[in-house]
Amino acid sequence: MEHLTDKEFERVCTHLSRTLGLNMRSKRVLLDCRLSRERNRLGLPSFSDYLDLIESGTNPEAAARFIDLVTTHYTYFLRERRQFDFLRTTAFPELEASRPRRTWNILCAGCSTGEECYTVSMIVEDYRRGRNLPPVRVTGIDVSEPALEEARRAVYPATRVDKVPPRWLTSYFTREGDGFAVVDSIRRHVSFARANLSDPEALRRRYDLILCRNVIIYFDEPTRERVLDTLHRHLALSSYLILGHAEIVRDRKRFAYRGDSIYQKRSEETHS
Ligand SMILES: C[S@@+](CC[C@H](N)C(=O)[O-])C[C@H]1O[C@@H](n2cnc3c(N)ncnc32)[C@H](O)[C@@H]1O
C-alpha cells in the first residue's frame, strides 16, 4: 500500500484545518490508513489525485465520505452520566422557573450518530412526568452527513444500547429486527441538521442549554476559541454549556465553572 508522503500529509492537515478547524497532526497513521483505503476504492492513481478531487469540491459524495473518514464518531447513550444528573437536579428546575411556558431549546453540537440527543430527550421525558412543562426541542448538529443519517434512523444494534438502563430500554425503545429503535415520543422532540461549527455563522438561534462534548478537543487552538465564542453568543444568559471531560474554558469572565465540565454563562461580553 502506498503511504502519504510528508508533503501530502501536510496538504491534508492544511485542508482539514482550513475547512473544519481540525488539528490532525498527531493522527498520521489513522489518516494514512483510512485515506489509502478510500483512494483505492475510488481507483485513483495517487494521493495527489485524491486530494485534488476533495479540494476541487466537484464530487459531493467523495467530499462527504472524506469528512466522515477524518472525524471520530465515538459516542454512547448516557455518556458521562453525572452531567445528565445535573440536568435533572439543576438545569431543568432552573429552566422550569425561568421559562415555565416558552419552548426550551437545547443544542447538541457535534451530536454524531444521535445517542446524545436521544439521551437528553429521554431525561426530559422522565423529568416531565407529573409536571406541566413547555415544549422541549433538541437540535443535533454535526458536520458528518453519514453520522446524521444514522442519527435520523434512530435504530441501534444491541451492542450500542448496553449502557441503557433496563427501564429506558422497555419504555423508550422498541425492537426492530436485530436492533433497538427509539420510540416516536422521544424522537419527535429531536431534529438534526448538518452544520460546520468552525463557521461562525453555523448557528441560527439562542439556546437554553448547549452540549458540545468531545468535539472541541479535535480543533486547533484558534478554532476552539472561535467555536467557544459562537457557543457563548448563542447561549442564553445564566444557561449552561456542557463540555467533554478533557475540554476546558479558560475565560472565567464570560463563563463560571460549575464542576464536571459544566459552565454557566455569566455575561454577554463578547471578544470582538
Ligand atoms: C467524538 S464525537 C462526540 C459525540 C457526542 N457529542 C459525545 O460526546 O458522545 C465528535 C463529533 O464531532 C463532529 N465534528 C467534528 N468537527 C466538526 C465541525 N467542524 N462541525 C461540526 N461537527 C464536527 C464529528 O463529526 C463527530 O461526530
Side-chain angles (χ1 to χ4, degrees):
M1 189 166 72
E2 195 194 319
H3 294 287
L4 280 167
T5 63
D6 288 352
K7 209 167 149 201
E8 288 161 347
F9 176 64
E10 186 52 39
R11 193 171 158 196
V12 173
C13 287
T14 305
H15 179 73
L16 287 175
S17 170
R18 191 171 47 76
T19 55
L20 299 177
L22 296 175
N23 176 0
M24 300 297 282
R25 287 184 195 283
S26 62
K27 301 271 166 41
R28 182 163 181 161
V29 175
L30 179 138
L31 286 182
D32 198 355
C33 176
R34 290 185 185 173
L35 298 183
S36 295
R37 239 181 281 139
E38 179 66 355
R39 180 176 73 81
N40 286 339
R41 194 188 69 85
L42 291 167
L44 292 167
S46 72
F47 265 116
S48 292
D49 291 310
Y50 176 55
L51 298 177
D52 285 347
L53 177 76
I54 297 305
E55 287 179 357
S56 70
T58 52
N59 185 333
E61 199 207 321
R65 276 183 60 86
F66 172 77
I67 289 175
D68 196 51
L69 288 170
V70 298
T71 42
T72 301
H73 303 295
Y74 181 70
T75 185
Y76 53 90
F77 285 96
L78 272 171
R79 183 176 193 180
E80 288 156 22
R81 189 184 278 245
R82 285 197 351 205
Q83 295 182 329
F84 292 106
D85 291 340
F86 177 87
L87 299 189
R88 205 170 28 81
T89 59
T90 308
F92 290 169
E94 286 179 13
L95 277 176
E96 208 180 343
S98 64
R99 283 180 83 89
R101 266 176 275 285
R102 275 182 304 149
T103 302
W104 299 358
N105 287 297
I106 301 175
L107 176 71
C108 294
C111 64
S112 188
T113 42
E115 288 90 329
E116 184 176 76
C117 296
Y118 295 126
T119 299
V120 172
S121 186
M122 290 172 197
I123 296 276
V124 170
E125 211 50 26
D126 279 0
Y127 187 77
R128 185 183 290 287
R129 210 152 291 151
R131 292 183 168 90
N132 191 13
L133 293 190
V136 176
R137 193 181 302 146
V138 182
T139 305
I141 61 166
D142 202 282
V143 76
S144 163
E145 198 48 68
L148 290 170
E149 272 167 32
E150 220 178 306
R152 291 190 187 101
R153 216 175 307 128
V155 181
Y156 300 93
T159 49
R160 302 259 295 274
V161 295
D162 56 1
K163 294 199 171 59
V164 173
R167 185 179 64 76
W168 272 17
L169 220 44
T170 45
S171 307
Y172 297 144
F173 292 85
T174 52
R175 291 307 299 257
E176 197 173 299
D178 286 343
F180 291 79
V182 178
V183 295
D184 279 349
S185 60
I186 295 298
R187 289 180 66 165
R188 70 162 181 260
H189 304 291
V190 182
S191 62
F192 296 97
R194 185 180 179 277
N196 179 357
L197 276 169
S198 76
D199 172 2
E201 305 299 321
L203 304 181
R204 293 265 166 271
R205 63 168 333 123
R206 276 214 154 184
Y207 293 93
D208 304 299
L209 171 69
I210 297 180
L211 291 87
C212 183
R213 307 184 312 156
N214 309 297
V215 180
I216 63 171
I217 194 169
Y218 298 105
F219 293 153
D220 53 39
E221 190 57 36
T223 307
R224 211 173 288 157
E225 289 311 311
R226 198 166 62 244
V227 171
L228 287 172
D229 263 3
T230 306
L231 298 179
H232 176 267
R233 237 182 316 118
H234 287 271
L235 184 64
L237 192 61
S238 302
S239 291
Y240 295 99
L241 167 67
I242 306 189
L243 299 180
H245 276 322
E247 299 163 331
I248 51 169
V249 177
R250 289 200 182 79
D251 180 355
R252 297 297 158 83
K253 270 205 213 108
R254 297 191 298 167
F255 285 107
Y257 186 53
R258 299 292 180 230
D260 267 326
S261 303
I262 298 169
Y263 295 84
Q264 185 169 27
K265 176 167 168 174
R266 55 157 39 151
S267 94
E268 293 287 1
E269 197 178 312
T270 59
H271 270 158
S272 41

